[in-house]
RNA sequence: GGUCCCGUGGUGAAGUUGGAGUUCACGCCGGCCUGUCAAGCCGGAGGUCGCGGGUUCGAGUCCCGUCGGGACCGCCA
């Protein structure tokens, strides 16, 4: 890098970036380097070459004959000048100027690319983009996404430093633990038959950093989980991982909030308002999910009381009856679509779905005849539904009712990521235990077994474990779970009681978690922490529906890297050095 | 493990009731062209219709299987 009078992007080969040239540069002799985005020839003595680098595009006017074609890498030295009257292009940032009197050097010729290296590639099969990711990355959208990602990382790091957090790196080769996500294993050459695991998160190490007196730790950590991939899930992903000592929930939320809001400000130029909080119970009750999208209404309305005396069998005796109103949807939803909604509801666990089209003076519905006039009136009052609206009702136990309607609410009403305001929300007071393990009959941990129970509920651990709230919290943005955390248990007696509720004996706890819990006996401070996904935050801030768009080299849903063709089989000699023999493929 | 959608020159699409690898746009190659900016005009090349099997006189089209990609469920303490 050459520091000259032209600024920090100048090098020995160039003075300016293509996208930076403006009317203020008129008269300057410049050198620009980049790829040929497009060429427009007008005979032997005039050609326009749009030169592209990551900053943008500049039109260069060539009046000698040079053979430059799409994606050739060239260097142009010329003079910046105003475009002639009537030939400016206001669709381009550099459209008022051009580079003339050009000397063109071809630095590298190029084959025609398999797809247009511009916004037209947005419509190209993702296969093709991923096979030629280096070409895809040349595009403005991808360069912008990489830079959004870098801004997020940088702002987060800066915010953590500002708050006195210490960056500590934790190992990538860690012991395999039976709990949690499936791990990637790494064979040990020195101990054939033994394996390391790649970390699904630095969880245990960061808590031991607290035992180690670090006080405030953070890391932009790579995490690896061998679970099925989704639009918001890759095998490898990045988290802002943090942990702090001598804190309560408020301290953690404040520190994490500062990092997230700083990142948002760095990308969007405006700091979002303070993050609101709702309890897990309220989130389920109002939105039917533990990661509510607050950008739109259609909240669940409890209508259990409306039907307390009902004779309609599908509703009678249900623990919870709830409704959502789809505004003005009565005419849009035909029988076919309503059947599909019903199928969707059933696939989530509902026994059925009741739909009512609100019409003047009543309902249009296959079950209208089972709803009494007073129930109808009360239903309309409770839901505020008016003629033309579609009302969807589920009756079941509370949890199922909420979950089914919450899923339908998202399916029907959720706007695309790039639309609407950014609505951050803390979901707090998650239940300590979720559901019951079929095999053991014991409750299952909601977060992880070291999560601290809510102080008011500690005495319910033995008598009514499923109603115990925890000091665990999620951060949610527009319906995406960004991350989660908790205040941990640091005292042995409380930990013993939680293990007992989970059906884990002292011996089993020692065996499974001894290496982690024994250190606590040497003095563990009260502590808690959080981790949130940087890929997800970046995707939302970049307006992308899919985290692959903000990852330079992502993998497909089946875990393949189409550019490098990995994973690949390896030579048998390499396997044998590692003490590994593969099984034949079975059908 | 499951459900659904997609696969046609380099790219994106169309392809009807099963009737000739047919069509369109972009790109590519050649020619013309001195103010374009998705330049324009003329000409040309380019195909294992993902792959395999079946039905049929005949399959891009129908059926079965398989591979690849995607969305979702399960899974992700």
């Amino acid at each position: 890098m050459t520091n000259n009078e032209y600024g920090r992007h100048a090098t020995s080969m160039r003075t300016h970036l293509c996208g930076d040239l403006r009317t203020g540069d008129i008269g300057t002799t410049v050198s620009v380097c980049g790829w040929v985005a497009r060429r427009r020839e007008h005979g032997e003595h005039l050609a326009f070459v749009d030169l592209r680098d990551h900053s943008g595009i500049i039109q260069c006017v060539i009046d000698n004959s040079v053979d430059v074609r799409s994606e050739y890498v060239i260097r142009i030295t010329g003079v910046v000048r105003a475009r002639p009257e009537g030939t400016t292009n206001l669709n381009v940032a550099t459209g008022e100027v051009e580079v003339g009197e050009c000397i063109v050097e071809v630095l590298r010729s190029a084959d025609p690319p398999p797809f247009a290296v511009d916004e037209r590639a947005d419509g190209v099969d993702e296969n093709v983009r991923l096979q030629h990711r280096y070409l895809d990355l040349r595009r403005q959208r991808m360069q912008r996404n990489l830079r959004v990602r870098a801004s997020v990382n940088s702002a987060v790091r800066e915010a953590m430093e500002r708050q006195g957090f210490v960056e500590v790196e934790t190992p990538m080769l860690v012991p395999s633990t039976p709990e949690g996500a499936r791990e990637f294993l790494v064979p040990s050459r020195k101990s054939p038959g033994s394996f390391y695991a790649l970390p699904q998160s630095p969880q245990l190490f960061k808590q031991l950093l607290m035992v180690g007196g670090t006080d405030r730790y953070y890391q932009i950590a790579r995490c690896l989980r061998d679970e099925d991939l989704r639009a918001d899930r890759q095998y490898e992903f990045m988290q802002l991982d943090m942990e702090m000592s001598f804190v309560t929930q408020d301290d953690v939320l404040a520190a994490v909030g500062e990092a997230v809001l700083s990142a948002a400000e760095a990308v969007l130029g405006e700091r979002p308002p303070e993050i609101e909080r709702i309890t897990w119970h309220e989130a389920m009750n109002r939105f039917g999910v533990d990661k509510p999208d607050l950008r739109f209404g259609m909240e669940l309305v409890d209508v259990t009381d409306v039907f307390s005396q009902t004779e309609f069998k599908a509703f009678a005796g249900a623990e919870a009856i709830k409704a959502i109103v789809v505004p003005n949807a009565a005419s849009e939803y035909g029988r076919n679509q309503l059947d599909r909604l019903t199928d969707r509801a059933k696939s989530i666990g509902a026994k059925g779905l009741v739909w009512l089209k609100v019409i003047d003076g009543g309902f249009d519905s296959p079950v209208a005849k089972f709803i009494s006039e007073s129930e109808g009136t009360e239903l309309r009052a409770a839901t505020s539904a008016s003629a033309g609206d579609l009302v969807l009702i589920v009756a079941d136990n509370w949890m199922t009712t909420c979950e089914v309607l919450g899923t339908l609410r998202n399916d029907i009403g959720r706007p695309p990521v790039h639309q609407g305001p950014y609505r951050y929300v803390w979901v707090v007071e998650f239940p300590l235990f979720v559901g019951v393990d079929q095999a053991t009959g014991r409750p299952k941990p909601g977060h992880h077994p070291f999560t601290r129970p809510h102080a008011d509920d500690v005495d319910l651990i033995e008598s009514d474990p499923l109603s115990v709230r925890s000091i665990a919290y999620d951060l949610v943005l527009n319906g995406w779970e960004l991350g989660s955390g908790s205040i941990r248990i640091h005292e042995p007696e409380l930990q013993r009681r939680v293990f007992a509720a989970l059906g884990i004996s002292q011996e089993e706890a020692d065996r499974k978690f001894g290496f982690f819990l024994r250190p606590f006996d040497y003095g563990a401070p009260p502590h808690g922490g959080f981790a949130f996904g940087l890929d997800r935050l970046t995707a939302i801030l970049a307006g992308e529906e899919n985290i692959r768009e903000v990852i330079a080299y992502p993998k497909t849903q089946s875990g393949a890297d189409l550019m490098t063709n990995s994973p690949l089989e390896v030579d048998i000699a390499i396997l044998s050095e590692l003490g590994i023999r593969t099984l034949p493929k079975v059908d």
Side-chain angles (χ1 to χ4, degrees):
Chain A
M1 182 77 80
T2 306
N3 281 316
N4 61 21
E5 71 268 32
Y6 293 110
R8 67 192 178 113
H9 290 291
T11 69
S12 307
M13 298 187 73
R14 73 177 175 216
T15 59
H16 290 75
L17 293 177
C18 298
D20 285 351
L21 296 173
R22 291 293 185 280
T23 49
D25 298 304
I26 287 170
T28 313
T29 297
V30 298
S31 292
V32 283
C33 298
W35 287 262
V36 175
R38 195 169 297 280
R39 124 198 105 128
R40 295 176 291 279
E41 275 191 282
H42 291 255
E44 220 177 315
H45 298 295
L46 178 67
F48 299 97
V49 166
D50 288 340
L51 190 65
R52 177 190 63 235
D53 63 22
H54 68 84
S55 67
I57 278 175
I58 180 70
Q59 172 170 288
C60 303
V61 184
I62 317 286
D63 31 29
N64 45 9
S65 73
V66 209
D67 188 25
V68 291
R69 299 182 180 228
S70 288
E71 303 309 319
Y72 274 31
V73 183
I74 64 175
R75 174 177 189 236
I76 283 181
T77 300
V79 181
V80 180
R81 64 192 190 199
R83 294 202 190 178
E85 191 75 31
T87 64
T88 57
N89 182 356
L90 298 178
N91 298 320
V92 181
T94 59
E96 289 186 85
V97 297
E98 63 191 15
V99 177
E101 300 168 46
C102 292
I103 297 161
V104 180
E105 297 164 65
V106 175
L107 306 175
R108 177 63 151 98
S109 62
D111 292 340
F115 54 87
V117 185
D118 59 29
E119 65 285 347
R120 282 172 293 182
D122 291 341
V124 169
D125 194 306
E126 200 179 344
N127 257 347
V128 179
R129 291 175 56 206
L130 290 176
Q131 278 160 16
H132 305 274
R133 189 58 154 180
Y134 40 88
L135 286 178
D136 195 28
L137 290 175
R138 241 177 243 175
R139 305 187 306 126
Q140 207 171 37
R141 173 189 179 191
M142 302 308 284
Q143 283 298 317
R144 181 192 53 118
N145 288 353
L146 291 183
R147 286 170 165 75
V148 167
R149 187 186 181 101
S151 298
V152 167
N153 284 355
S154 161
V156 159
R157 180 169 262 131
E158 205 175 294
M160 298 311 282
E161 299 281 339
R162 199 159 63 226
Q163 298 180 98
F165 285 80
V166 179
E167 184 174 16
V168 180
E169 288 136 28
T170 53
M172 291 299 285
L173 298 174
V174 303
S176 172
T177 52
E179 317 294 319
R182 188 180 298 114
E183 297 165 322
F184 286 97
L185 291 177
V186 179
S188 162
R189 178 174 54 87
K190 302 245 187 206
S191 316
S194 293
F195 294 82
Y196 302 99
L198 299 175
Q200 42 174 304
S201 86
Q203 185 64 34
L204 306 182
F205 290 97
K206 73 174 173 179
Q207 287 193 243
L208 294 183
L209 282 172
M210 297 302 104
V211 177
T214 308
D215 196 64
R216 292 186 177 195
Y217 142 89
Y218 85 97
Q219 179 179 199
I220 291 183
R222 188 176 298 272
C223 305
L224 298 106
R225 297 180 187 172
D226 187 4
E227 298 290 351
D228 286 359
L229 280 51
R230 287 282 198 288
D232 61 351
R233 278 160 38 185
Q234 284 272 307
Y235 281 155
E236 359 180 0
F237 58 99
M238 303 301 292
Q239 288 199 332
L240 181 273
D241 190 51
M242 60 88 83
E243 193 79 10
M244 38 197 324
S245 295
F246 308 110
V247 290
T248 65
Q249 171 176 288
D250 285 351
D251 298 303
V252 178
L253 300 198
V256 175
E258 175 63 24
V260 171
L261 298 183
S262 298
E265 184 178 8
V267 174
L268 304 170
E270 192 179 324
R271 191 180 168 90
E274 282 310 302
I275 302 173
E276 60 191 291
R277 294 185 195 182
I278 66 173
T279 64
W280 174 86
H281 191 270
E282 185 183 353
M284 293 305 296
N285 231 357
R286 290 173 56 197
F287 304 101
V289 287
D290 59 9
K291 42 179 179 177
D293 190 335
L294 268 39
R295 289 176 300 166
F296 67 107
M298 284 176 58
E299 290 189 24
L300 319 203
V301 182
D302 194 303
V303 294
T304 315
D305 290 344
V306 172
F307 296 102
S308 57
Q309 306 296 321
T310 192
E311 306 201 345
F312 181 26
K313 267 192 282 179
F315 288 177
E319 181 185 64
I321 307 174
K322 284 171 171 285
I324 57 173
V325 179
V326 191
N328 303 315
S331 54
E332 304 172 27
Y333 278 76
R335 198 51 192 257
N336 229 326
Q337 279 166 291
L338 290 163
D339 285 350
R340 218 174 304 148
L341 286 181
T342 306
D343 288 346
R344 174 74 164 152
K346 285 179 180 167
S347 78
I348 309 155
K351 295 185 196 74
L353 177 70
V354 167
W355 57 265
L356 303 160
K357 292 180 175 180
V358 184
I359 53 177
D360 286 325
F363 299 104
D364 174 9
S365 166
V367 302
K369 55 177 177 281
F370 300 118
I371 293 171
S372 74
E373 200 168 323
S374 66
E375 286 167 349
T377 309
E378 281 183 60
L379 177 64
R380 292 175 74 139
T383 58
S384 307
S386 51
D389 292 347
L390 173 68
V391 180
L392 304 174
I393 305 178
V394 172
D396 213 300
N397 63 61
W398 177 80
M399 192 69 172
T400 303
T401 298
C402 292
E403 283 177 338
V404 170
L405 284 174
T407 303
L408 294 179
R409 172 180 176 270
N410 274 342
D411 284 356
I412 296 168
R414 199 164 165 213
V417 247
H418 59 271
Q419 207 181 84
Y422 296 89
R423 293 293 301 273
Y424 300 83
V425 58
W426 290 111
V427 179
V428 300
E429 295 180 10
F430 268 73
L432 187 65
F433 305 110
V434 179
V436 173
D437 191 281
Q438 296 289 351
T440 64
R442 294 288 187 166
K444 296 182 286 186
H447 185 53
H448 60 58
F450 319 113
T451 304
R452 187 170 199 80
H454 196 290
D456 296 346
D457 296 350
V458 167
D459 290 336
L460 300 172
I461 292 175
E462 290 78 16
S463 56
D464 187 11
L466 290 179
S467 73
V468 176
R469 291 165 298 165
S470 68
I471 311 180
Y473 30 83
D474 276 10
L475 178 58
V476 175
L477 171 54
N478 292 0
W480 291 46
E481 181 194 323
L482 285 186
S484 56
S486 62
I487 301 297
R488 329 294 185 188
I489 299 168
H490 66 280
E491 321 94 308
E493 175 57 19
L494 187 55
Q495 185 68 71
R496 192 195 57 73
R497 288 175 68 185
V498 171
F499 278 150
L502 292 168
I504 300 174
S505 66
Q506 193 65 53
E507 298 72 49
E508 189 181 356
D510 286 346
R511 183 160 35 85
K512 277 186 171 170
F513 307 114
F515 77 99
F516 171 59
L517 291 175
R518 177 69 183 124
F520 281 42
D521 297 336
Y522 290 106
H527 63 287
F530 200 79
F532 69 83
L534 290 163
D535 310 87
R536 290 183 184 177
L537 177 60
T538 302
I540 298 171
L541 293 177
E544 296 286 3
E545 302 271 357
N546 193 306
I547 64 170
R548 290 190 298 274
E549 302 295 352
V550 298
I551 296 172
Y553 301 106
K555 290 183 175 54
T556 66
Q557 203 163 71
S558 61
D561 177 342
L562 298 180
M563 188 179 75
T564 62
N565 278 324
S566 67
L568 294 167
E569 291 181 5
V570 299
D571 199 280
I572 199 152
I574 292 171
L575 289 181
S576 92
E577 185 179 31
L578 296 169
I580 290 176
R581 193 164 55 207
T582 56
L583 294 170
K585 284 185 185 117
V586 282
D587 297 325

